[in-house]
Amino acid sequence: MRSLLALVSCASLLAASSAFAETRVFIIANQADGYGVDQCLAKGEKCGAQVARMYCQSRDFAQASSYRRVDPDEITGSVPKSGANCSHGHCDEYVAITCQR
């Protein structure tokens, strides 16, 4: 009887923790728009916090837990390797925004 109660308790704790901890990482192109927002996100500066939060909220997440620049080599399968995405001396950069519910 005790083992059954312990098993049910563990299962309910695991179910509750997974419901609260939904996290997703979005990889987006870091495009220079002249406003400097791209650099705030890429450098992880405080000025990018609101942009990252709004990005997460637009995708039905509550908050952004982190944001940073990502090297194309860190992204598997969806982004060309370094050099392949450069044109006229300008290379695309990418930003990872981690959103939580």
Side-chain angles (χ1 to χ4, degrees):
M1 183 69 175
R2 282 186 178 170
S3 61
L4 180 61
L5 181 62
L7 181 63
V8 170
S9 296
C10 288
S12 65
L13 284 174
L14 286 174
S17 65
S18 66
F20 290 114
E22 185 178 356
T23 301
R24 184 167 176 192
V25 178
F26 294 93
I27 306 293
I28 58 172
N30 183 29
Q31 299 171 342
D33 57 5
Y35 292 103
V37 172
D38 57 317
Q39 290 303 310
C40 290
L41 287 170
K43 293 179 180 178
E45 294 178 2
K46 191 175 181 178
C47 56
Q50 184 172 357
V51 174
R53 182 175 50 84
M54 297 302 284
Y55 185 89
C56 291
Q57 288 178 347
S58 72
R59 281 148 182 79
D60 296 326
F61 285 84
Q63 64 183 359
S65 59
S66 68
Y67 49 95
R68 67 179 179 89
R69 184 181 158 295
V70 178
D71 290 327
D73 294 337
E74 292 181 64
I75 307 166
T76 58
S78 61
V79 176
K81 296 293 180 195
S82 297
N85 56 344
C86 295
S87 62
H88 308 293
H90 178 270
C91 297
D92 292 337
E93 293 183 344
Y94 299 91
V95 174
I97 299 176
T98 304
C99 301
Q100 291 182 332
R101 291 202 197 269

